[in-house]
Amino acid sequence: MISVSVAWDDIGGLVDAHERFLAGARVEADVRGSVLESWKRCRSAGLEPGHLLVPYEQGVTLDERFLRAADPVLTKLSASLAEVGMSIALCDARGRMVRRLDGDLRLRDRLDEVNFAPGFDASEPVVGTNGVGTALAERGPIYVVGREHFADCLQPFACAGSPVRNPLSGRIEAVLDLTCLRDDGDPTMLRLVRAAARDIEDRLLEQATERERALLAAYRRAALDVRGAARPADRPAPGDGHDGDGLGRIDLAVLRERAEELIASPVRTLDEVPLSGGRIATLLRRQVMGAAGETGVAVEARIPGGPRLSGLGLPTSPPVAGPVPVATPGASGPPVTAREATAPTVAQPAVVVRAVVPPPQAPAPQPAETVGDILDGAESRLLLVGEPGVGRLAVLARRRLELLHDAGLRIGTTLDVTRTAEELAEVTVPRFADFVAVDLPDAVLRGEEPVVLGGRTPLRRVAIRAVRKQPAHLYDVGDTVEYVPSTPQARCLELTQSVMEPVLAQAGGWIAQDPERMGRVLAAGVHSLITVPLRARGTTLGVVSFYRSERPAPFEDDDLSLAQELVLRAATCIDNARRYTREHNTALALQRSLLPKGRPEQSAVEVAYRYLPAQAGVGGDWFDVIPLSGARVALVVGDVVGHGLHAAATMGRLRTAVHNFCSLDLPPDDLLTHLDDLVVRLDRGEGWAVESTQADSGIVGATCLYAVYDPVSRRCTLTRAGHPLPAVVAPDGTVEFVDLPPGQPLGLGGMPFETVELELAEGSQLVLYTDGLVEDRLRDMDSGLDRLRTVLAVPGRAPEDTCEAVLDALLPERPSDDVALLVARTHVLGRERVAEWVLPSDPAVVSRARTAVTGQLAAWGLDELAFTTELVASELVTNAIRHATGPVQLRLLRDRALLCEVSDGSSTSPRLRRARTEDEGGRGLFLVAQLTERWGTRYTPYGKVIWTEQSLP
């Protein structure tokens, strides 16, 4: 394996569309359909535009028969391009390069740089959109230029590729590609490569068997005009995707497919094919006979008023006077000769698509008709030549392979159990069945291990698909289904084996589920059933039921094998989605258990919050509302970078640390400094994993915003560590983002954090959020902030309404990052609920303090707390006068509790201790702790505050 990582400056357009596609936006209006489908396949394969891993295999070659056909064509093509800077590449059917005929030296060197050379893999799942791989994936010609390439390293080139098919089997044998530098690109490259591919196919026809050549000669003799001049009947000229005026490549592909079906059919003679523009083509199947008696089948298509193909190298049959009778297989009379079979009367322009293969055995009788009754004009094209008995089997085998290929691409594009089940139903209807139902137990939908499934096990119908409106008598999505033991579904689950019921009307076990309901289903036309267990890694996950109603043929043994293969692929994808769901739910449960369970009791602010995990997995966003001493409250929002269990666990550790630091009443900048130091130590692995076998995996990064609001002073102090700016919404609706120094993210260490203090009017809203709300891959931070400002600029809105409005306006449909939003509307603790006294440092003032406290509590009606509060205030004031300096201030706050605070100018903190029996002092603080609910110390720039809290009666 050789790694390729090349970056080029794009000068070819589509830059914006390519970037928006990678970001998940819709770009259908800006990108060609075939290129966009290729981009989607590349993204599903996990390709990264800036980095490819290209495998190399030595000795890649093609069989001699093909090379004998290709060599002369390549030599001629190379000679015609000798003066043009263009490279010719021949690759095998897997996209591996076999041979490269170089252009000029500069192009050769550029191609070598990106490993576009013999032996390297150019398939689309490996190198992205390109002429080789995309032609294989699309099974048709493709032109790709510049930014249309998915990979960055291929964008300096233009390329055109075309599959080379075996004309007798329709199988792709190789891919031919023309590549040049982007500035030299020309859409005519597509015509050149298609013409060369068809020349190789012509030479392959020359190597056909004697019988095949005889049938081919009979077919070509049928195309002779009156003058005896034959035109090639199997090589349409290259073009821009249309092989005639108004008849596009898709129409021709549909005609060819339906012609193959008609050839393969043992009974049908006529068919109708809807084409673009509302036109209808009528197909006629009949026998032709060669000069030596070889018999084959020709399929002709009539399009009334349709286009002529004469300008594209296809022969036009001459007019013939009078109708010519046609003896269809099984009809009376001999079969027509090849010349007779292609001599219809010309009345209107028509398109004829011909194929010559041996007829099926024992065809059903058909009435005789005249060619003039079926065709008004004739133009022919060779589609298929084959050996006896191969036609039908080859068509069925090709369809099944194509269905399996599409299933591999379309099933499992997401890690969602329900969506994966829907994709299985979408792929198989109508190409395999007319109605499909997928039933899973609820445990699988929740990501849990399913119980042993069997009869009477309740299942949930999670997906259905039908060619027309489903029979009303069948269960609908979301219904609970309990299959009785005799049903094919119950037997399928019990035995873990597939069950086929070709004739449902004779399946008594199926009818026993609900005779009345099932009778109505049979009356609606449902006649055949295959049920397959969804099994992956030894576990049965559910059951899939395939029904047929529209097509008359019942299911066969080959259909059973195909159904098992389809369900096996889907089961693996569903099990992957189930396991992802389990891991996602586990991480989400862990994170939600670490987030706040409700709103804490406090009066400072009215809060509302929202947390939404990312679609890709839970992350490390968190928020908190933490009551502090002095009726204050702390508002916290943080974000740990990354997703998954580790991010959620790290978030829990940081949130716990913030709570612990808050209990110490640290100033905001000191708190973030301590938190930063903790993150540094965690990143260095100072801590051990389970059983101490390996160090902590570390934190990729974290940000935090911390704010403290005081309802008495209406002051709010904020600091942040690399977090988005908070917004303040004034009562009149004015919005301002706080000009707060950014600070460095947590974990870098060494730098102090700065704080900003502002005064908030009563009723102001403080809005804190994480970056997932205002920034994503489609929107930068500035535009997100502008939109947030617009949404917030509404006066008098409640916090809950603000949260709803913000999320409705800014939240993307599938957020790629977690979103945490916290809105706090400020309250004010009025002066009537606050009492404070400034006391001199004189022991005599202690009695005055007791008197003031008693009088204030009586005024508040709190006489029951007078004795306790008087004692507490006396002890605290006495300690401050004895052991501290500066003025002493006593303050009472009546909030949800009664708060008593004594402040002084000293930074020393009292310490609670147990006094010994002989000690004369040291019992005052012990008494305070016993008489109050809580007590503590907080520091201010000018000293400290000793506070206590008592419950109100």
Side-chain angles (χ1 to χ4, degrees):
M1 306 288 282
I2 296 181
S3 177
V4 179
S5 182
V6 183
W8 302 87
D9 293 332
D10 183 87
I11 56 174
L14 290 177
V15 179
D16 181 60
H18 192 263
E19 293 300 326
R20 287 189 291 112
F21 170 80
L22 295 176
R26 297 177 63 88
V27 294
E28 283 80 354
D30 304 316
V31 184
R32 287 191 294 143
S34 57
V35 173
L36 181 58
E37 289 301 317
S38 174
W39 286 2
K40 292 178 180 179
R41 293 191 297 267
C42 295
R43 182 172 59 187
S44 298
L47 290 184
E48 299 179 10
H51 183 77
L52 302 179
L53 194 63
V54 184
Y56 173 79
E57 185 172 336
Q58 191 172 7
V60 179
T61 187
L62 294 166
D63 63 74
E64 294 183 3
R65 175 189 60 86
F66 185 91
L67 293 176
R68 286 197 306 269
D71 283 344
V73 177
L74 295 180
T75 301
K76 181 179 178 181
L77 181 61
S78 178
S80 65
L81 300 176
E83 303 301 326
V84 181
M86 193 171 296
S87 175
I88 305 169
L90 181 66
C91 303
D92 66 7
R94 291 170 51 187
R96 300 171 302 177
M97 189 178 297
V98 177
R99 186 181 301 173
R100 193 181 80 189
L101 285 69
D102 291 322
D104 57 28
L105 180 61
R106 184 166 68 102
L107 175 61
R108 181 182 63 195
D109 291 341
R110 295 291 291 275
L111 292 176
D112 289 341
E113 289 177 6
V114 297
N115 289 340
F116 192 71
F120 286 97
D121 194 338
S123 60
E124 189 179 73
V126 174
V127 299
T129 309
N130 72 96
V132 176
T134 306
L136 276 175
E138 294 284 335
R139 304 180 66 82
I142 187 71
Y143 177 68
V144 184
V145 60
R147 194 65 177 185
E148 289 183 330
H149 290 91
F150 186 80
D152 296 341
C153 62
L154 298 182
Q155 290 163 12
F157 303 101
C159 56
S162 176
V164 182
R165 296 177 180 269
N166 184 327
L168 305 181
S169 67
R171 184 180 65 251
I172 294 177
E173 298 265 349
V175 181
L176 190 61
D177 174 88
L178 298 180
T179 300
C180 63
L181 294 177
R182 176 172 46 200
D183 294 340
D184 300 329
D186 192 316
T188 57
M189 294 166 57
L190 186 63
R191 303 180 66 182
L192 291 174
V193 75
R194 291 177 66 189
R198 288 192 173 94
D199 286 342
I200 297 175
E201 292 172 355
D202 285 349
R203 296 184 62 83
L204 287 172
L205 278 176
E206 296 174 1
Q207 303 178 35
T209 65
E210 182 178 351
R211 174 180 173 79
E212 289 168 342
R213 286 197 300 271
L215 286 172
L216 182 60
Y219 178 85
R220 285 182 167 169
R221 281 196 302 273
L224 291 173
D225 58 21
V226 176
R227 297 177 300 276
R231 300 176 182 176
D234 55 337
R235 189 201 308 173
D240 58 354
H242 286 75
D243 288 321
D245 299 331
L247 193 62
R249 184 173 61 248
I250 295 178
D251 286 340
L252 288 176
V254 171
L255 283 173
R256 177 191 173 98
E257 180 181 357
R258 297 294 287 272
E260 291 173 341
E261 294 177 8
L262 198 57
I263 289 171
S265 172
V267 294
R268 289 188 296 147
T269 300
L270 291 170
D271 197 3
E272 286 189 340
V273 182
L275 301 177
S276 62
R279 297 170 297 177
I280 300 293
T282 302
L283 300 186
L284 170 67
R285 171 186 178 277
R286 55 195 178 84
Q287 283 185 308
V288 293
M289 180 180 295
E294 303 89 348
T295 58
V297 174
V299 174
E300 300 173 343
R302 172 185 180 273
I303 306 176
R308 286 190 165 273
L309 307 184
S310 56
L312 297 172
L314 297 178
T316 302
S317 297
V320 177
V324 180
V326 178
T328 56
S332 58
V336 297
T337 66
R339 182 170 181 83
E340 290 171 337
T342 54
T345 301
V346 178
Q348 293 180 352
V351 178
V352 174
V353 183
R354 296 184 183 275
V356 181
V357 298
Q361 300 297 321
Q366 300 290 339
E369 302 181 52
T370 65
V371 177
D373 294 333
I374 304 300
L375 299 176
D376 295 323
E379 296 172 353
S380 57
R381 177 182 184 182
L382 177 64
L383 290 181
L384 189 65
V385 178
E387 294 294 333
V390 173
R392 180 172 181 269
L393 297 179
V395 170
L396 292 178
R398 188 184 306 171
R399 283 185 188 166
R400 287 168 178 161
L401 287 174
E402 290 174 349
L403 179 57
L404 289 174
H405 172 75
D406 290 348
L409 293 177
R410 296 173 56 187
I411 298 176
T413 59
T414 68
L415 286 172
D416 181 84
V417 173
T418 300
R419 180 56 193 152
T420 304
E422 292 171 348
E423 289 169 343
L424 170 62
E426 292 169 359
V427 167
T428 52
V429 175
R431 297 168 65 179
F432 177 70
D434 301 318
F435 179 84
V436 173
V438 183
D439 303 321
L440 304 175
D442 289 336
V444 172
L445 297 175
R446 295 191 299 266
E448 303 170 1
E449 291 286 345
V451 298
V452 177
L453 302 180
R456 294 296 185 183
T457 299
L459 302 176
R460 182 81 57 190
R461 179 144 297 178
V462 298
I464 55 176
R465 185 83 171 184
V467 291
R468 54 187 174 91
K469 186 177 181 181
Q470 68 185 71
H473 321 299
L474 290 175
Y475 300 98
D476 205 346
V477 170
D479 291 347
T480 300
V481 185
E482 294 187 16
Y483 290 107
V484 300
S486 63
T487 57
Q489 288 86 352
R491 303 199 320 264
C492 166
L493 293 172
E494 190 73 29
L495 303 175
T496 65
Q497 294 179 355
S498 303
V499 177
M500 181 173 65
E501 294 287 357
V503 184
L504 271 181
Q506 302 174 7
W510 177 77
I511 297 174
Q513 172 74 17
D514 186 339
E516 182 178 355
R517 177 194 294 262
M518 298 304 137
R520 293 196 296 267
V521 172
L522 292 173
V526 178
H527 60 80
S528 187
L529 164 68
I530 288 179
T531 179
V532 184
L534 273 161
R535 284 184 59 80
R537 303 178 178 94
T539 302
T540 302
L541 304 173
V543 64
V544 184
S545 302
F546 300 94
Y547 294 89
R548 278 189 177 172
S549 59
E550 302 297 313
R551 62 193 79 191
F555 285 117
E556 302 174 351
D557 290 340
D558 288 343
D559 297 319
L560 181 62
S561 300
L562 178 58
Q564 291 171 336
E565 180 66 24
L566 289 168
V567 173
L568 177 62
R569 298 187 181 197
T572 302
C573 297
I574 288 177
D575 191 50
N576 290 338
R578 179 190 66 82
R579 290 168 180 261
Y580 169 78
T581 301
R582 180 183 61 192
E583 297 299 327
H584 178 79
N585 290 343
T586 300
L588 186 60
L590 171 63
Q591 185 179 47
R592 292 198 180 278
S593 70
L594 297 173
L595 288 172
K597 298 298 187 295
R599 296 174 176 85
E601 292 186 1
Q602 49 82 35
S603 303
V605 292
E606 176 189 353
V607 297
Y609 54 82
R610 295 290 187 275
Y611 169 75
L612 296 109
Q615 293 289 336
V618 298
D621 291 13
W622 90 91
F623 61 91
D624 242 322
V625 179
I626 306 172
L628 301 176
S629 63
R632 299 170 305 139
V633 66
L635 305 173
V636 191
V637 171
D639 183 3
V640 176
V641 177
H643 296 89
L645 286 173
H646 176 67
T650 301
M651 176 272 292
R653 300 166 83 173
L654 297 185
R655 179 170 177 257
T656 301
V658 171
H659 272 266
N660 290 335
F661 295 145
C662 283
S663 67
L664 300 176
D665 263 323
L666 296 176
D669 52 344
D670 286 352
L671 185 143
L672 283 192
T673 299
H674 282 76
L675 194 62
D676 180 53
D677 181 63
L678 172 64
V679 174
V680 169
R681 288 188 283 112
L682 291 177
D683 267 340
R684 291 174 180 171
E686 297 180 14
W688 298 93
V690 178
E691 299 181 1
S692 299
T693 56
Q694 53 181 261
D696 192 291
S697 57
I699 301 173
V700 177
T703 64
C704 185
L705 174 63
Y706 185 79
V708 175
Y709 173 68
D710 186 345
V712 178
S713 64
R714 296 189 288 112
R715 307 293 294 180
C716 184
T717 305
L718 305 98
T719 185
R720 63 174 177 148
H723 204 80
L725 290 171
V728 174
V729 185
D732 62 359
T734 304
V735 180
E736 293 292 339
F737 288 100
V738 181
D739 187 13
L740 186 60
Q744 59 189 7
L746 300 175
L748 298 181
M751 296 296 292
F753 296 95
E754 299 182 55
T755 61
V756 167
E757 187 173 290
L758 59 153
E759 184 174 315
L760 300 179
E762 183 176 7
S764 299
Q765 290 191 8
L766 190 61
V767 181
L768 285 64
Y769 51 90
T770 54
D771 58 358
L773 180 69
V774 294
E775 184 179 32
D776 56 33
R777 298 182 65 179
L778 301 178
R779 180 178 58 200
D780 59 25
M781 178 73 76
D782 290 338
S783 61
L785 292 177
D786 290 340
R787 193 170 183 182
L788 177 61
R789 183 194 298 273
T790 302
V791 175
L792 293 176
V794 176
R797 188 160 53 188
E800 286 288 344
D801 296 336
T802 299
C803 286
E804 290 298 326
V806 168
L807 293 185
D808 289 344
L810 278 83
L811 192 68
E813 289 186 10
R814 296 181 61 86
S816 58
D817 194 8
D818 289 17
V819 173
L821 173 65
L822 179 63
V823 178
R825 181 162 61 183
T826 62
H827 294 165
V828 174
L829 199 63
R831 302 306 304 175
E832 72 280 0
R833 301 171 67 183
V834 180
E836 51 188 347
W837 302 270
V838 178
L839 306 174
S841 296
D842 183 356
V845 304
V846 176
S847 61
R848 290 165 44 196
R850 289 197 297 266
T851 302
V853 167
T854 303
Q856 185 63 53
L857 292 180
W860 284 344
L862 299 176
D863 296 304
E864 296 180 26
L865 300 178
F867 176 77
T868 303
T869 309
E870 180 183 359
L871 179 58
V872 169
S874 176
E875 288 293 337
L876 296 181
V877 170
T878 300
N879 285 343
I881 293 174
R882 285 183 179 178
H883 305 293
T885 61
V888 177
Q889 182 176 12
L890 172 63
R891 186 169 75 162
L892 293 180
L893 302 175
R894 183 184 178 185
D895 191 29
R896 292 178 178 270
L898 178 63
L899 306 177
C900 178
E901 298 180 346
V902 175
S903 60
D904 57 57
S906 174
S907 60
T908 60
S909 175
R911 181 171 61 89
L912 180 65
R913 63 186 179 88
R914 185 177 295 277
R916 292 174 296 184
T917 306
E918 63 272 16
D919 290 344
E920 294 183 0
R923 295 177 178 83
L925 201 56
F926 177 77
L927 290 174
V928 170
Q930 295 300 311
L931 294 173
T932 60
E933 294 288 331
R934 297 191 306 147
W935 75 278
T937 304
R938 70 173 181 269
Y939 294 94
T940 68
Y942 311 105
K944 69 176 183 298
V945 177
I946 309 296
W947 58 269
T948 66
E949 182 178 304
Q950 302 174 71
S951 298
L952 295 177

